[in-house]
Structures are given as C-alpha cells and as structure tokens.
C-alpha cells in the first residue's frame, strides 16, 4: 500500500478501538467545555445543563456497572447503573438550579454554572475547543458528537507526527512508527479526553511541522544539485514556497492556540523564540549565518508572545495571580491566600521533588524523554525546535504543580519529544545494510527458496 493508505489505516484502527469507551472519559472540566459548546449553538442554560448532565451521568453509570461486574464480592449483584445515574443527575441539576435562581454573576457568560463565577471565568476565555465541538454536538448530539470530535483530533495528531517525520526525511516505516507511538503512549489517551489538550497537541504539532517545513525549505534554496539554470530556479522557487508555508503554519497554530488556551500560545511562542536564538547562536559560533527561516520563526514567535500578552490584558483575561489563587484555594473553595506567590514557590519546589521520586519508581517517562532527546540530535536545528515544543509541557506542569491531577495530563506535551525523537533515534537501523550470504558459502547451507 502507499504510505498515505497506511496512515489512514492506522488512524482508522485507532478510531475503531476507541469504540470501547464512548462515554466515561469526561473530567470535571469537561462539563464546562460541553455546555459552552451547546450555548454557542443557541441552547438555553437549563437545556444545556440537562444535556451535559445526562452525558456525564451516563458515563458515571457505565463506569459503575463495569466496575461492579468485576468486583470479586459483588459481581453477581444487580447493576447499579440506574441508581448511579439518578443520584448523579439529581445532585448536578440541583446545584445548577440553585445558581441559576441566584442570577447575577452566577449566570454570566455562556457556560452553565456548574462552578462558581471566578472558576468559570477561566473557561470562558477558552472558546477554541467549544467552537471546535459545536458542529459535532449539533449534528450528532452530545455523546457521539464529543466522541467523534475527540477521535478526529486525536487521529489528526498521529497524522501530523507522520508529516513532521517525513518532512525531515525519516523513512516511511519509522514515520508510521511515530504515528503509532502517538496513539499508544499517554498522548493518545489524553487527546481522546473531552478537554482542550487534544486540540492543543494537534496545534502544537502543526507548529512543529511548520518549523520543519521552514527549515527544510530554506535549506533547499541553497541546494547546488543540478546544472540547468531553469531546474535550479524551479527548485529554489519550490523550496521558498515550502518555507513560506511552514512559517504560515507556525503563525496560524499560535493564533489558534490563543483561542484554545492562551497560556499555551504564550509558552510555545516563547519557547520557539528561545529555540531560534539557540540555533542562531550555534550557527554563528560555527561561522554560519543564522538563516532566514530561523529569523522568520523567531519574529513570528516573538510577535505571538507580545500579541498574547497584549490581548490578554485588553480582553481582561484572568491574571497569573488569579490562576495561582485558583490553585492554592482548591478552585476558590477556600479563602484567598495573603501571599500567594511565596506559597506557590514553596509548593513548586516540593512538587518537583515528589514528582521526581514517583518517576523513579516507574521511569518510563524519563527514559522516553532521554531517548527522544538523543534521537533529536540527528537533526540538530529541527531537534532544538522539537525540544522547545515539548518543553511547553514542563512549563504547563510548572504553572500548575498539583500532584493530585493524574494521567500526566498537564505535562502531556512533553511526550511529543519521544513520539518524534524515538523514530529519529531508530533511523540508523533503517539504513543498515542486511548481510546476505553468498551462494555456495558455508553460511548459505540449508537456505531454501
């Protein structure tokens, strides 16, 4: 089969496997995103609350029934699904109705008041994922609409990994390996959750693909292969178009990330700018020019950082201090801290000590990061930009040092390093010649056709 056929087959297999869990993937934040999408479609708050709660409670009931079936003491008992669903629905709708009756700040914005106004405001400034969900939940309903949207965005992430690796000239089998790694590692699991992370991963990979195109395109403009002036001119023009397309992808991804989660646009822009500076400095020390592609990526990244900071202030987005208060007060369920930044730094240091201890108990993640970083060395300039994109996962985790959030959801972007870097690490194996014994040699004895 052609490579594109293999890419589609792998994505289709991944999608079929996700049918095993159509519901039950939601997190407490998912209610805010889904009700936001329903409200954007014109659904009233009470109707949006009912649809969202039905979806959440169906997942809880399904999970309770599956757990009961394999419980060693209660596997023969009646299914608890109906009771769990009724209790869930009653509790959720009672809390929503109480806030709706209160009116005022409790009912501002698009999101159903599952949580208080201050916490809800954090989700109100993230319209990107609800806008993405809107056509799916409108056409297919909440259950299948959310599932289909998650499958498409997770599948697209794997396809983007393949495109990134092919752009940097990785052989097709290893590029397909990268796609599979995206699906089977925690990246695919997180991308399937009905939250903004799947879209963030896809957009970050789009920016990485843009960097790869810009770097390889500009490299192609300096190619001296061929002697025909017409052929050289055509090759140069094609490479320049590739570089411009790559820069456009980086810019578009950063703009879209602002709508999905503006902190990720800020982190990615800053990290790409730092990566461009590192590449430029390294080339300068080796007597080379930084290159137009590196300078252009740096300009786009710096513009994204400045634009994100400016727009966030103009639109009065929640400040960094507000985010720290959200963390330290358990989503505003306790009084605000008087000195939040000192307490945040204290928690930060303790968090990373405990995080490292837990990683050493099962060191798959550190080993994967090391392997990915070692593989990224095979494409030095691109590898620096890959490290920068993966580093946004570390920054996201550092900005929210909450050890109770499981599944490595906040740090998931760091998994992009092994997903792309491990195929690069394996590349020498794909080019290693296979020794075939000569006919008539002692090693060929017993070999049959």
């Amino acid at each position: 089969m052609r490579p594109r056929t293999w890419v589609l087959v792998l994505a289709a297999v991944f999608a079929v496997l996700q049918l095993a869990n159509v519901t039950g993937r939601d997190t407490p934040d998912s209610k805010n995103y889904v009700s936001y999408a329903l409200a954007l479609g014109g659904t009233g708050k009470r109707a949006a609350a009912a649809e969202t709660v039905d979806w959440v409670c169906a997942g809880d009931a399904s999970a309770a029934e599956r757990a009961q079936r394999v419980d060693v003491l209660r596997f023969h008992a009646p299914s608890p699904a109906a009771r769990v669903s009724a209790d869930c629905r009653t509790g959720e709708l009672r809390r929503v109705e109480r806030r709706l009756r209160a009116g005022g700040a409790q009912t501002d914005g698009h999101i159903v008041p599952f949580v208080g106004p201050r916490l809800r405001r954090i989700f109100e400034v993230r319209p990107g994922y609800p806008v993405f969900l809107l056509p799916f939940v409108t056409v297919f309903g909440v259950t299948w609409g959310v599932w289909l949207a998650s499958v498409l965005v997770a599948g697209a992430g794997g396809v983007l990994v393949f495109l990134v690796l092919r752009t940097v000239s990785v052989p097709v089998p290893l590029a397909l390996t990268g796609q599979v790694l995206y699906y089977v590692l925690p990246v695919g699991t997180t991308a399937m959750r009905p939250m903004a992370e799947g879209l963030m991963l896809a957009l970050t990979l789009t920016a990485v693909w843009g960097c790869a195109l810009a770097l390889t395109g500009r490299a192609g403009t300096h190619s001296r292969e061929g002697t025909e002036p017409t052929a050289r001119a055509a090759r140069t023009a094609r490479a320049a178009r590739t570089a411009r397309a790559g820069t456009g992808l980086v810019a578009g991804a950063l703009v879209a990330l602002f709508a999905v989660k503006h902190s990720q646009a800020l982190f990615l822009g800053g990290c790409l700018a730092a990566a461009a500076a590192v590449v430029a400095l390294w080339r300068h020390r080796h007597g080379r020019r930084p290159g137009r592609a590196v300078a252009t990526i740096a300009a786009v990244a710096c513009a994204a950082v400045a634009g994100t900071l400016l727009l966030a202030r103009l639109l009065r987005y929640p400040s960094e201090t507000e985010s720290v208060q959200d963390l330290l007060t358990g989503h505003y369920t306790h009084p605000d801290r008087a000195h939040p930044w000192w307490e945040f730094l204290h928690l930060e240091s303790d968090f990373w000590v405990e995080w490292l201890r837990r990683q050493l108990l099962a060191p798959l993640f550190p080993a994967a990061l090391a392997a990915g970083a070692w593989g990224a060395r095979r494409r030095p300039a691109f590898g620096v930009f890959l490290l920068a994109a993966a580093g946004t996962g570390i920054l996201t985790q550092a900005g929210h040092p909450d050890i109770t959030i499981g599944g490595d959801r906040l740090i998931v972007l760091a998994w992009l390093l092994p997903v792309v870097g491990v195929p690069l690490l394996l590349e020498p194996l794909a080019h290693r010649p296979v020794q075939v014994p000569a006919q008539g040699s002692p090693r060929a004895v017993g070999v049959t056709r």
Side-chain angles (χ1 to χ4, degrees):
M1 292 189 293
R2 293 181 178 181
R4 69 182 67 176
T5 306
W6 277 112
V7 170
L8 295 176
V9 166
L10 290 176
V13 170
F14 173 77
V16 170
L17 294 176
Q18 304 316 303
L19 288 170
N21 293 279
V22 176
T23 60
R25 298 178 188 265
D26 60 285
T27 70
D29 295 347
S30 301
K31 293 181 292 187
N32 299 302
Y33 289 117
V34 172
S35 66
Y36 198 161
L38 291 171
L40 291 175
T43 306
K45 280 195 169 60
R46 283 183 171 82
E51 292 187 50
T52 304
V53 167
D54 285 345
W55 169 67
V56 169
C57 294
D60 290 351
S62 177
E65 183 176 19
R66 291 195 300 269
Q68 185 266 338
R69 286 179 179 175
V70 293
D71 189 292
V72 295
L73 298 178
R74 300 184 298 110
F75 62 89
H76 47 72
S79 171
R83 174 181 53 80
V84 169
S85 178
D87 292 346
C88 169
R89 197 172 189 278
T90 300
E92 292 286 353
L93 290 180
R94 183 188 298 119
R95 284 189 290 271
V96 169
E97 186 63 30
R98 185 171 61 250
R99 289 192 171 102
L100 288 175
R101 288 176 180 174
Q106 294 287 353
T107 56
D108 289 345
H110 297 87
I111 299 175
V112 171
F114 293 108
V115 294
R118 291 176 71 184
L119 180 56
R120 199 166 63 249
R121 175 61 179 161
I122 293 176
F123 294 97
E124 288 279 358
V125 301
R126 301 175 185 175
Y129 181 60
V131 169
F132 173 73
L133 277 181
L134 175 58
F136 295 97
V137 297
T138 301
V139 176
F140 300 100
V142 174
T143 298
W144 287 104
V146 170
W147 179 86
L148 184 58
S150 300
V151 164
L152 288 179
V153 77
V159 174
L160 284 166
V161 171
F162 176 86
L163 293 173
V164 168
L165 290 168
R166 289 298 294 148
T167 300
V168 295
S169 302
V170 172
V172 170
L174 292 179
L176 293 171
T177 300
Q179 182 183 1
V180 172
L181 287 175
Y182 186 90
Y183 294 150
V184 302
L185 289 175
V187 198
T189 303
T190 303
M192 277 297 302
R193 289 178 177 171
M195 297 186 68
E197 275 74 18
L199 204 51
M200 284 169 50
L201 283 162
L203 290 172
T204 302
L205 279 169
T206 300
V208 173
W209 184 29
C211 291
L213 286 170
L215 292 170
T216 56
R218 287 300 175 188
T221 61
H222 301 293
S223 175
R224 298 183 178 180
E225 295 178 5
T227 57
E228 290 291 336
T230 304
R232 285 203 304 271
R235 192 161 49 245
T236 300
R238 186 167 57 251
R241 287 194 299 270
T242 300
R244 286 195 297 270
T247 305
L249 283 174
V250 175
L254 288 169
V255 170
L257 277 170
F258 180 85
V260 175
K261 192 175 182 182
H262 70 280
S263 61
Q264 176 61 14
L266 180 64
F267 291 157
L268 184 59
C271 286
L272 291 181
V278 169
V279 172
L281 180 61
W282 184 85
R283 288 179 174 179
H284 176 73
R285 288 186 174 180
H286 288 78
R288 298 169 56 191
R289 293 182 178 179
R292 187 179 299 178
V294 174
T296 305
I297 293 173
V300 169
C302 289
V305 171
T308 298
L309 293 173
L310 179 61
L311 280 176
R313 293 294 181 266
L314 290 176
L315 297 174
R316 297 183 178 180
Y317 279 11
S319 65
E320 296 80 8
T321 301
E322 189 72 5
S323 178
V324 172
Q325 290 286 8
D326 168 47
L327 170 70
L328 297 177
T329 60
H331 300 309
Y332 308 113
T333 57
H334 293 78
D336 282 8
R337 302 299 181 98
H339 305 287
W341 286 105
W342 285 110
E343 294 191 42
F344 174 80
L345 293 175
H346 186 181
L347 175 64
E348 189 81 52
S349 61
D350 291 344
F351 169 84
W352 287 110
V353 171
E354 175 62 16
W355 182 87
L356 182 59
R357 186 193 67 81
R358 296 189 183 192
Q359 293 301 315
L360 293 178
L361 289 174
L364 172 63
F365 185 42
L369 288 179
W374 193 255
R377 294 172 64 254
R378 295 188 55 81
R379 303 289 191 281
F382 168 74
V384 173
F385 286 101
L386 174 62
L387 282 166
T392 61
I394 306 295
L395 291 177
T396 301
Q397 182 69 81
H400 201 90
D402 187 350
I403 204 71
T404 64
I405 297 180
D408 295 329
R409 176 170 64 84
L410 294 174
I411 206 171
V412 68
L413 284 154
W415 278 100
L416 296 182
L417 180 57
V419 165
V420 179
V422 167
L424 287 168
L425 181 65
L426 299 176
E427 190 178 18
L429 299 179
H431 296 295
R432 180 176 297 176
V434 179
Q435 298 294 333
V436 180
Q439 291 294 325
S441 68
R443 293 176 61 190
V445 175
V447 176
T448 64
R449 291 181 294 176

